[in-house]
Amino acid sequence: MKIDKDTFEEILVTITRNKTRSLLTAFGVFWGIFMLVALSGGGRGLQEELQQQFEGFATNSGFVISSKTNEPYKGFRKGRWWDLEIDDVERVAGVPGVAMATPSISLWGKQTVYEGNKYECNVRGLYPNYELLEHQEMAYGRFINDVDIREGRKVCVIGKRVYESIFKDGGDPCGKYIQVDSVYYQVIGMCSSEGNVNIQGQASEAVTLPYTTMQKMYNLGNKVHVVCFTMEPGVKVKDVKPEVERRIKEAHYISPTDKQAVMMLDLEAMFSMMDTLMTGVRFLTWMVGLGTLLAGAIGVSNIMMVTVKERTTEIGIRRAIGARPRDILQQILSESMVLTTVAGMAGISFGVFVLNVMEKAANPSGVVETHYQVGFGMAVGTCLLVIALGLLAGLAPAYRAMAIKPIEAIRDE
């Protein structure tokens, strides 16, 4: 719809004349658009923050952990503690649908020392294929390899926080020796992964040794703390859970009906819950935003109805001196669209400003990792939505104005 200069000036006069009413109407549209933009951007930021909690982890992974038995079985009493063993890794790996299984052992509260700098960390013993489960982002050097395992080398990979605490001057730590519990290990890599999924400690706070080296250094024998595994494409963790439990219970003389002795953590289910949560958040965002915006548009329509009623005589006189119905229609629709468009643009601008403040607060280091913003397509779509609502809000008042007959309007005066 084209608005000429005279029409635009008339619109401004009308809006100014009904200042209080126009401000209240504009605020309704402004608030609706602001809520829609702010909730959309905030929902995106929340989703990214949740995804960062699982950074680097395979989405189709599961974990087996031993726990106290809850039932007596074959001469063993109730409440017996038992341990997973290295053979359990092969048992899990042999279950149809399991792509890979690997052991993990970990000890807490160990002190790492380098040139007088100390840091309390956890020490993990892993195989190289653990990298398929939790991706190790290496800033320096490499991860554990098969030769380290076979030869039981005294080498280690340190986490980011360990590195920052004991290597105060920075630089490449590879080739240097650190002390862990009176034993010296050569650093072969520094892992910069920062995922917050805590499976036997975070990678950033850990010193990782070859599994065989940790077995010997801490005299752990065949004990395994956690059996980690990933699934083949199309197979879910819950599909293999009964068979995994059956094999492990059978090997360790645990009652088949004992629900407590074998604990299984399904990371795939956690990812699914997160996806469901974010879908619900997005749905709620659009419902609240569009509902508020629709309420604002209805307010615009009602205000324009009142305006038309108050200007019945004016419209009748204009019709009497030659104004066409199309001119009246254009005037009313233009007023509605200008009001909603100006308020909508202000709402979008304020929403983007608030999201920018939230983004800076969520990324104090200056490196943007969590984005609290709406996309360009979302902004354009919102602008078009505002214009469309302005047009729709003005239709009923416009047709009512067109229906006013000049003689009746003058007689009403």
Side-chain angles (χ1 to χ4, degrees), residues 63 163 206 213 219 229 247 274 311 364 367 383 397:
F63 306 87
Y163 167 77
T213 302
N219 194 27
F229 61 95
R247 293 191 180 196
M274 186 184 73
R311 297 168 61 192
V367 179
C383 292

Side-chain angles (χ1 to χ4, degrees), residues 144-163:
I144 304 297
N145 64 23
D146 292 329
V147 178
D148 299 326
I149 296 292
R150 187 169 56 250
E151 297 181 1
R153 292 175 173 175
K154 291 183 179 179
V155 295
C156 68
V157 175
I158 60 176
K160 183 178 180 180
R161 295 185 186 177
V162 178
Y163 167 77

Side-chain angles (χ1 to χ4, degrees), residues 22 26 43 45-46 73 85 89 91 212 215 226 229 252 266 276 289 302 312 356 382 401:
S22 299
L46 176 62
Y73 186 68
E85 299 176 350
V89 178
R91 294 184 181 105
T212 51
Q215 269 185 317
V226 180
F229 61 95
H252 293 275
D266 185 352
T276 302
N302 290 335
T312 299
N356 190 48
T382 305

Side-chain angles (χ1 to χ4, degrees), residues 11 44 51 92 114 155 222 244 285 350 381:
I11 291 171
R44 176 186 175 185
Q51 288 174 342
V92 174
Y114 177 75
V155 295
N222 290 325
V244 169
T285 294
F350 186 63

